[in-house]
Amino acid sequence: MTTTAVIDPTERYESGTRMTSERKQILEMLAAGKISADEAERLLQLTSGSTAGRPASSSSTGATTAVIAQIIDPKFIRVVVEPDPTATGNHAKHHVNVRVPLKIIRAGVNLASLIPNDAGHMVQDSLLNKGFKGDLSKLDASALDELIEALQELSIDATVDNHLVKVFVE
Amino acid sequence: MIPPMVMWFKVQWFGIWIPLFLLWPIVIVLLLLVMPLVFIGMAITGNISRFWIAIRIVLAAYKTICATRGLRIDIDKEEMTFEIYLP
């Protein structure tokens, strides 16, 4: 009678060291396109201390987990405007740094969903006058999750009036 | 969830840390004074069901205020400086 050992892919050994759940998570994120190769390399470097044949220190593991959590679950949306260093001529130099917690979006939508219909129409009309053509009443929890998920991949780099404009989540 | 306790506010050269923690007790006291009146008013007008909506709105507003922690706005133009920071 022979027995066949079933090896779980998650428990395979790589270069004599066990692939930790963190390394697996990083590679899965890279495969899914959630992080770039550079970010994956940075994260793997952080985990290298825990997979180089010595026990993981709590500080390195904690740092890696924090970085992964930041990438998976960004907390803020940032808008940064800086003068373009390559621009020539004498032009106005503006600096803008705005950091908005993503929690505000969720909390704001929850608050907006409780607004009575008659008041909601007034808000909608006011937003329409300001140029916002969206319908807030159609923004429910599932749509909000999709919106926040889409925001995680948001990264805008633009040059406007001799200024570099960056919009990203962190 | 804890609301922001202080706020950094700066316009031009004038900057100040605003102690929001002094504001919240006043807000709570005002709410405790107003909500019974709202409840009585709604009971008289027959809209008692709306009182629970009012409670939910207050809680949602509280969550929104708490969510503002971490908000930072720095604007530095040629002749104008404006900063708000809620740590």
Side-chain angles (χ1 to χ4, degrees), chain B residues 27-41 51 58:
Chain B
V27 171
I28 289 171
V29 169
L30 284 176
L31 273 176
L32 291 174
L33 289 173
V34 168
M35 291 311 277
L37 297 176
V38 171
F39 182 80
I40 292 168
F51 179 72
V58 169

Side-chain angles (χ1 to χ4, degrees), chain A residues 16 32 34 39 57 65-66 91 93 106 113 121-123 141 150 157 170:
Chain A
K34 289 184 178 178
E39 288 171 333
S57 67
T65 306
H91 57 86
K93 293 182 178 178
R106 190 179 294 276
S113 67
H121 291 311
M122 293 169 63
V123 173
D157 291 317
E170 63 177 14

Side-chain angles (χ1 to χ4, degrees), chain A residues 51 55 69 80-81 85 88 106-107 110 130 141 147:
Chain A
T51 57
V80 178
V81 179
T88 57
R106 190 179 294 276
N110 286 338
K130 298 286 184 183
L147 173 67

Side-chain angles (χ1 to χ4, degrees), chain A residues 75-91:
Chain A
K75 298 285 187 291
F76 302 99
I77 182 166
R78 286 276 306 273
V79 179
V80 178
V81 179
E82 296 286 344
D84 187 354
T86 61
T88 57
N90 189 14
H91 57 86

Side-chain angles (χ1 to χ4, degrees), chain B residues 4 10 15-16 24 37 39 48 50 66 70 78-79 81:
Chain B
K10 184 179 180 184
I16 186 172
W24 303 135
L37 297 176
F39 182 80
I48 197 71
R50 284 200 167 192
C66 293
E78 281 181 340
E79 295 179 356
T81 300

